[in-house]
Amino acid sequence: LIIAMYHPLFSNGNTAGFFSLRQHIFPFTDMHPAAYVPLPIVGSLYPLYHGAGATRQDLDNSLYYELKEEILTICEDYTNLVFVSGKEQNMQYFYEDDNHFVNSGSMTGNDYARRGGEAEFAYQARGFSKLIYYANGELWLEFWEVIDKEGNGQVAFRTKLAHEKPQLIYQN
């Protein structure tokens, strides 16, 4: 079962309060890539604001956290669910409690994604994710990175999510 939603349930990106050193020191480069105006202390206010869950768009916000916990509670009896989200402008994959969480990527931006932590994969690049379902029941996840201005790409990450045909849960 694939559950598509805008907001991620897991993240190593800006939604979870993770920002790059460049974003702390040169905060205006997020708005314009050439805006290297150093504001080392002031530049940290925005990331700290988001890290504290100050907006409803932040993973640490109490309402967002309630939504996340409610969804995870509803789904706790199921395995191999694939949650796909599109908010983060980077590519991330998490495997938690026998379910898969994919932050799908972006063709227009490449926001910071911290590697490590709970993420199996986190990558700051323009690109997209691709789910491939085979007749034998295998389900694979690929992340494709755009490598040039013509839109050519290459696989940045690939993993098997499921290896057997899904069982029938309900039938009329």
Side-chain angles (χ1 to χ4, degrees):
L1 179 64
I2 298 170
I3 300 169
M5 52 199 298
Y6 178 69
H7 294 285
L9 298 180
F10 293 91
S11 174
N12 274 5
N14 294 165
T15 300
F18 297 110
F19 291 80
S20 69
L21 182 60
R22 178 190 54 81
Q23 289 172 298
H24 281 272
I25 297 173
F26 304 105
F28 295 129
T29 57
D30 279 351
M31 293 177 273
H32 191 280
Y36 279 92
V37 177
L39 298 169
I41 295 170
V42 175
S44 292
L45 294 177
Y46 182 74
L48 290 172
Y49 178 74
H50 280 280
T55 75
R56 289 184 289 168
Q57 302 287 321
D58 298 325
L59 214 72
D60 288 332
N61 178 276
S62 61
L63 293 174
Y64 196 133
Y65 183 79
E66 276 183 51
L67 172 67
K68 172 185 171 178
E69 290 303 308
E70 188 67 29
I71 291 169
L72 294 176
T73 299
I74 291 168
C75 298
E76 69 186 359
D77 293 333
Y78 302 97
T79 60
N80 279 327
L81 298 176
V82 180
F83 293 84
V84 179
S85 65
K87 181 178 189 295
E88 294 276 10
Q89 293 191 20
N90 50 47
M91 298 175 280
Q92 301 178 54
Y93 168 64
F94 297 83
Y95 181 73
E96 296 289 333
D97 298 323
D98 295 323
N99 290 308
H100 310 276
F101 301 86
V102 178
N103 296 342
S104 63
S106 171
M107 296 301 289
T108 59
N110 59 351
D111 289 344
Y112 177 72
R114 181 185 67 127
R115 293 183 183 187
E118 297 176 351
E120 303 290 325
F121 176 75
Y123 195 51
Q124 178 183 345
R126 289 186 313 124
F128 62 92
S129 60
K130 181 177 178 181
L131 290 170
I132 306 165
Y133 182 75
Y134 293 100
N136 67 0
E138 288 186 355
L139 177 64
W140 286 80
L141 167 66
E142 290 181 350
F143 283 106
W144 282 75
E145 173 187 13
V146 176
I147 58 172
D148 60 28
K149 291 182 181 182
E150 286 75 41
N152 295 310
Q154 65 185 16
V155 175
F157 178 80
R158 186 172 198 260
T159 190
K160 187 190 299 186
L161 302 185
H163 60 275
E164 56 188 45
K165 289 191 177 188
Q167 295 179 356
L168 182 64
I169 296 173
Y170 175 80
Q171 182 176 4
N172 267 342

